[in-house]
């Protein structure tokens, strides 16, 4: 065992979160994917904000970033510098301890932009990410995967019981993209309702209208029910060319909503006061 593995294995042994996780089976981290039809940068910021909300509530969180670099404009590409990719881990060319990087207190980060290609090339093989983390002694409570292009085969490599939340924009293009994502997720959900959060638009009514449109199309095309988790306001900055492609700024309330959905047992609620001064909003990232 490496020094990093030994330290991560020991850190969670007395943690409240690590003890709670044992109640949910085999000591594996629970894995959630935030599947988003928002642009790449807001998607990563939502996932990072939810990860920070969870870790400030005592959870040990790994953020897996699988948003393609071509779908983002952040300076440097990713919010944290990386050298290796999870695709290399699943292809057997590198150990997971070199890919999963601690970037803060109770917060780890890695990228998985090459995992889909490894899967399509039949190079990626089990065990799952949750199993690999446990075997390496990397004590993680919650894994959050940020995705703008879900792929059933790839997501099955993360965990046997991975759960998903679909974050949908309210525009026509966002609804069309969300419908494609519903198609990918439908097999994984096995007919159960897919939870959906709508983000953006001028009012809760427009958010509800957007969800109703997406729900009707999902039922008509795939007989797939959706479950509305609510609407969150977002600010759209104008693009320099006058188009509608400006950056979207999402509020910290979305992070807390995500964290509450991922860990509903009350851990986040019990630590609610910790969020007041410490939420990581996109404008502070």
């Amino acid at each position: 065992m490496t020094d990093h593995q030994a330290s991560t294995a020991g850190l969670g042994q007395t943690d409240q979160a690590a003890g709670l996780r044992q109640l949910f089976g085999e000591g594996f981290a629970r894995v959630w994917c935030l599947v988003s039809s928002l642009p790449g940068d807001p998607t990563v910021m939502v996932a990072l904000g939810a990860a920070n909300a969870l870790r400030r509530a005592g959870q040990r969180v790994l953020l897996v970033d699988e948003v393609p670099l071509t779908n983002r404009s952040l300076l440097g590409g990713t919010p944290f510098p990386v050298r290796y990719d999870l695709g290399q881990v699943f292809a057997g060319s590198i150990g997971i301890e070199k890919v999963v990087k601690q970037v803060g207190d109770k917060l780890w980060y890695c990228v998985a932009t090459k995992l889909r290609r490894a899967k399509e090339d039949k190079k990626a093989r089990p065990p799952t990410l949750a199993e690999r983390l446990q075997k390496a002694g990397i004590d993680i409570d919650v894994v959050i995967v940020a995705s703008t292009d879900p792929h059933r085969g790839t997501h099955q490599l993360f965990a046997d019981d991975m759960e998903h939340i679909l974050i949908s924009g309210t525009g026509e293009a966002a609804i069309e993209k969300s419908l494609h994502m519903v198609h990918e997720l439908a097999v994984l959900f096995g007919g159960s309702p897919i939870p959906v959060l709508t983000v953006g638009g001028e009012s809760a009514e427009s958010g509800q209208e957007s969800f109703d449109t997406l729900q009707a199309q999902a039922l008509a095309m795939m007989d797939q029910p959706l479950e509305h988790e609510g609407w969150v306001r977002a600010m759209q900055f104008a693009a320099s060319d006058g188009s509608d492609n400006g950056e979207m700024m999402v509020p910290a309330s979305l992070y807390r909503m995500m964290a509450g959905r991922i860990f509903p047992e009350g851990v986040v609620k019990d630590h609610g006061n910790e969020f007041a001064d410490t939420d990581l909003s996109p404008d502070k990232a």
Side-chain angles (χ1 to χ4, degrees), residues 74-223:
L74 283 174
L75 184 64
T78 58
F80 305 101
V82 294
R83 183 176 180 181
Y84 302 110
D85 190 283
L86 269 183
Q88 296 168 280
V89 175
F90 279 88
S93 61
I94 196 171
I96 192 171
E97 67 277 358
K98 292 186 178 181
V99 178
V100 174
K101 178 179 180 181
Q102 187 164 6
V103 294
D105 179 38
K106 299 182 183 294
L107 181 63
W108 284 256
Y109 175 80
C110 68
V111 297
T113 58
K114 299 179 181 178
L115 183 56
R116 181 167 180 171
R117 173 60 63 87
K119 176 66 176 179
E120 291 174 344
D121 291 344
K122 303 187 186 303
K123 294 180 180 179
R125 293 180 173 83
T128 65
L129 174 62
E131 293 170 317
R132 290 174 186 268
L133 289 171
Q134 186 194 54
K135 185 176 181 180
I138 303 175
D139 191 8
I140 299 295
D141 301 306
V142 182
V143 177
I144 297 179
V145 180
S147 176
T148 55
D149 187 15
H151 180 250
R152 292 186 296 254
T154 301
H155 285 198
Q156 288 170 339
L157 292 172
F158 289 119
D160 292 331
D161 55 352
M162 184 176 179
E163 299 188 70
H164 298 72
I165 300 175
L166 174 60
I167 303 175
S168 177
T170 54
E172 184 176 338
I175 293 175
E176 182 178 349
K177 186 175 181 181
S178 294
L179 190 63
H180 165 74
M181 294 175 172
V182 170
H183 182 268
E184 284 292 313
L185 295 176
V187 173
L188 296 175
F189 273 81
S192 299
I194 297 174
V196 178
L197 269 171
T198 52
V199 178
E202 297 180 356
S203 65
E205 288 73 20
S206 65
Q208 183 65 52
E209 182 180 348
S210 172
F211 171 78
D212 291 342
T213 299
L214 180 62
Q215 167 85 299
Q217 293 184 25
L219 286 172
M221 296 178 64
M222 295 164 273
D223 198 27

